[in-house]
Amino acid sequence: MEVDNQLDDSFDANVYPDLLPIYYRRLFPFSLYYKWLKYDDDKFFINREFSFTLKDDVYLRYQSFKDEEDLKKEVTQKCPFKIDIGAVFSCRPSDQRTASNFHPLEKELVFDIDMTDYDEVRTCCSGADICKKCWPFMTIALKILDRALREDFGFKHLLWVYSGRRGIHCWVCDKEARELSPAARSAIVEYLSVVKGGEYKAKKVHLPETLHPSLKQADKIISRYFEDLMLINQDYLAAPENCDKVIAMCIDPNILFLKMKEFLKSSLKDSKSSQAKWGIMHQIDDAILMKGFKNRSKHFITEVKFQLCYPRLDINVTKGLNHLLKAPFCVHPKTGRVCVPIDIKSVDSFNPFTVPTISSLCKEIDDYDASIKESENMDEDQRSIATKIEDCNKTSLRKSIEIFRKFVKNLG
């Protein structure tokens, strides 16, 4: 297995509790958080639920704060290993035990895509491990969902965040999105869900004879990545058990589908590459279309591509107002990596393996401060200016903070 598969190797988890106070005190963007979560009304922040996960898995729900300083004081004092953000409630969550009608009023529309949900279709890694060969699954998911949420639903304010280990999160922050009912959230996630069924269901994608424009757009996105991802990097059809899975998707009884089944079965015994096998599948599929077969036969190749590559959503995360989601700029306790925002314009170049860790950030601050102190080429005025620079600007977290700053500013 490649070194890149192991995100944990370069991080010493034993130093995590010692570095957290430094990170929260010097790098965590409290001011931007406050501007984001209060939107245009302070009560949105005051009545917002936060949860803290402390050392030894001590879990504190229904935390709430008066303002930025109150949040900063509690976070720097308690140094939570994880911070989650929940809904805006009818009163302060910290008063929920004495409130007579405590209930959620609104929350961002959120999505959680986890690489473990792709274990049945990726050949390079499993579980919490990720590598450069499978990360494009996340890139595809982000592009498909971002396009659909913006173009199909008209949302504008989407914050994409790397989870710090093996997935991505999306926060849709438009006022219309925050005010959606659970039923409306369920309808949206159902609209966006194409892969359906548990691990024992062979065929999980059933496309209609006439494809919806949104599905056509998703197909275009998947097609741009499919060969590199599934046929080269994953070499998916090289394994007999994976060919069996594709064979099991051939549920149409027409004669050409039977031929495709026979081809796939025989190909298990040869050494054809995944690309070669996929090419022959295309030839058979083209013959099916030329014969004019409809329904189950018409989109078979597209259904295979969707079953392998279409976003796999955790529906419960999206539909429930009471569900909390990990806060941006948390530090993952297993990998030490910061949950940084992802710039949608450069998502193809986003590399989870270059995301800064809490260890590297603290070292960057120390190195910067030491370089200023030891510099012999600065006069006192230059030295004074250099020492007053914001700590985040001394580190590789600067770009991520800037993405977040721009997002918050655009909220208006």
Side-chain angles (χ1 to χ4, degrees):
M1 184 176 288
E2 298 179 10
V3 173
D4 279 344
N5 285 12
Q6 302 294 331
L7 282 180
D8 303 351
D9 284 352
S10 61
F11 177 66
D12 180 4
N14 293 322
V15 304
Y16 184 72
D18 297 325
L19 298 180
L20 267 180
I22 300 171
Y23 176 76
Y24 283 132
R25 180 166 47 87
R26 302 190 67 172
L27 291 171
F28 194 84
F30 289 104
S31 178
L32 290 175
Y33 249 79
Y34 180 63
K35 291 176 182 177
W36 168 33
L37 294 176
K38 81 181 185 70
Y39 294 101
D40 57 354
D41 192 330
D42 286 343
K43 80 171 187 297
F44 290 143
F45 186 84
I46 294 170
N47 292 347
R48 170 80 66 168
E49 180 190 4
F50 293 81
S51 75
F52 292 168
T53 303
L54 309 182
K55 187 178 180 181
D56 299 323
D57 288 329
V58 175
Y59 186 57
L60 305 177
R61 269 203 77 170
Y62 301 117
Q63 308 293 296
S64 60
F65 310 99
K66 293 182 296 183
D67 50 29
E68 174 190 340
E69 288 304 314
D70 193 23
L71 171 65
K72 185 174 183 179
K73 176 183 175 183
E74 288 298 309
V75 170
T76 53
Q77 178 182 332
K78 290 187 170 69
C79 286
F81 278 33
K82 181 186 174 190
I83 301 172
D84 289 285
I85 300 174
V88 175
F89 282 83
S90 52
C91 65
R92 289 195 64 177
S94 55
D95 298 332
Q96 52 95 16
R97 290 185 178 178
T98 57
S100 58
N101 186 25
F102 180 71
H103 63 279
L105 296 177
E106 66 174 59
K107 192 187 76 170
E108 293 78 9
L109 179 66
V110 297
F111 297 88
D112 181 7
I113 304 98
D114 195 310
M115 190 73 84
T116 55
D117 293 326
Y118 292 79
D119 278 359
E120 66 179 2
V121 297
R122 58 180 180 149
T123 62
C124 52
C125 308
S126 63
D129 288 338
I130 64 170
C131 71
K132 292 179 180 179
K133 290 183 177 180
C134 58
W135 184 254
F137 283 115
M138 295 294 102
T139 303
I140 291 171
L142 190 157
K143 287 195 170 185
I144 287 176
L145 295 177
D146 189 84
R147 189 218 62 80
L149 290 166
R150 293 181 190 276
E151 296 180 16
D152 298 355
F153 293 97
F155 297 131
K156 298 178 180 178
H157 303 292
L158 278 64
L159 178 66
W160 287 97
V161 181
Y162 169 52
S163 72
R165 192 174 197 183
R166 59 177 184 262
I168 53 176
H169 301 154
C170 179
W171 301 75
V172 186
C173 301
D174 301 62
K175 185 175 186 292
E176 296 81 1
R178 304 196 314 264
E179 295 177 347
L180 289 170
S181 68
R185 293 166 194 262
S186 295
I188 289 175
V189 76
E190 182 66 26
Y191 171 88
L192 295 170
S193 296
V194 173
V195 182
K196 300 178 181 180
E199 61 178 307
Y200 298 110
K201 188 172 183 180
K203 187 173 176 63
K204 301 177 184 180
V205 176
H206 297 270
L207 298 177
E209 183 175 348
T210 302
L211 289 184
H212 188 281
S214 186
L215 295 176
K216 291 181 180 179
Q217 292 299 319
D219 186 30
K220 289 181 181 178
I221 293 170
I222 291 172
S223 295
R224 289 201 292 268
Y225 294 88
F226 188 81
E227 183 173 358
D228 281 343
L229 174 58
M230 297 308 305
L231 305 182
I232 298 176
N233 290 331
Q234 298 298 318
D235 199 10
Y236 185 76
L237 294 175
E241 60 269 23
N242 290 335
C243 286
D244 286 337
K245 291 177 183 177
V246 176
I247 290 169
M249 292 180 64
C250 300
I251 61 175
D252 197 299
N254 77 59
I255 187 65
L256 288 171
F257 261 56
L258 294 177
K259 287 184 178 180
M260 184 178 287
K261 283 189 176 185
E262 289 305 313
F263 156 70
L264 287 171
K265 288 177 181 177
S266 65
S267 73
L268 299 182
K269 301 176 183 179
D270 63 37
S271 58
K272 286 188 176 71
S273 68
S274 290
Q275 290 168 290
K277 293 175 184 178
W278 185 253
I280 297 174
M281 284 177 62
H282 257 291
Q283 292 175 11
I284 298 174
D285 191 65
D286 288 343
I288 291 173
L289 294 181
M290 288 178 64
K291 290 290 185 178
F293 291 108
K294 297 182 179 181
N295 300 323
R296 287 176 291 180
S297 303
K298 187 174 181 180
H299 300 298
F300 177 71
I301 291 291
T302 304
E303 288 175 337
V304 174
K305 289 191 294 183
F306 274 42
Q307 184 152 324
L308 297 179
C309 297
Y310 193 88
R312 293 161 184 250
L313 303 175
D314 186 333
I315 293 176
N316 292 325
V317 170
T318 301
K319 70 180 184 181
L321 285 173
N322 272 317
H323 199 289
L324 293 91
L325 188 63
K326 185 192 298 181
F329 291 99
C330 275
V331 179
H332 197 290
K334 299 289 187 182
T335 65
R337 296 188 185 273
V338 181
C339 302
V340 294
I342 301 172
D343 183 357
I344 184 62
K345 294 180 180 178
S346 57
V347 62
D348 281 307
S349 61
F350 178 80
N351 184 349
F353 309 104
T354 61
V355 170
T357 66
I358 189 172
S359 303
S360 67
L361 291 171
C362 290
K363 185 177 185 302
E364 286 171 13
I365 291 177
D366 290 343
D367 289 347
Y368 179 92
D369 291 346
S371 69
I372 298 302
K373 185 176 181 180
E374 297 168 4
S375 175
E376 297 177 354
N377 299 320
M378 287 186 178
D379 58 31
E380 288 304 313
D381 288 340
Q382 291 173 323
R383 197 181 304 276
S384 176
I385 293 172
T387 55
K388 291 179 181 178
I389 189 173
E390 285 188 62
D391 285 326
C392 72
N393 290 329
K394 303 174 184 178
T395 73
S396 52
L397 195 63
R398 178 179 65 245
K399 183 177 178 181
S400 299
I401 295 285
E402 194 52 43
I403 293 171
F404 190 43
R405 191 189 313 278
K406 183 178 179 181
F407 168 78
V408 172
K409 181 180 179 180
N410 287 341
L411 287 173

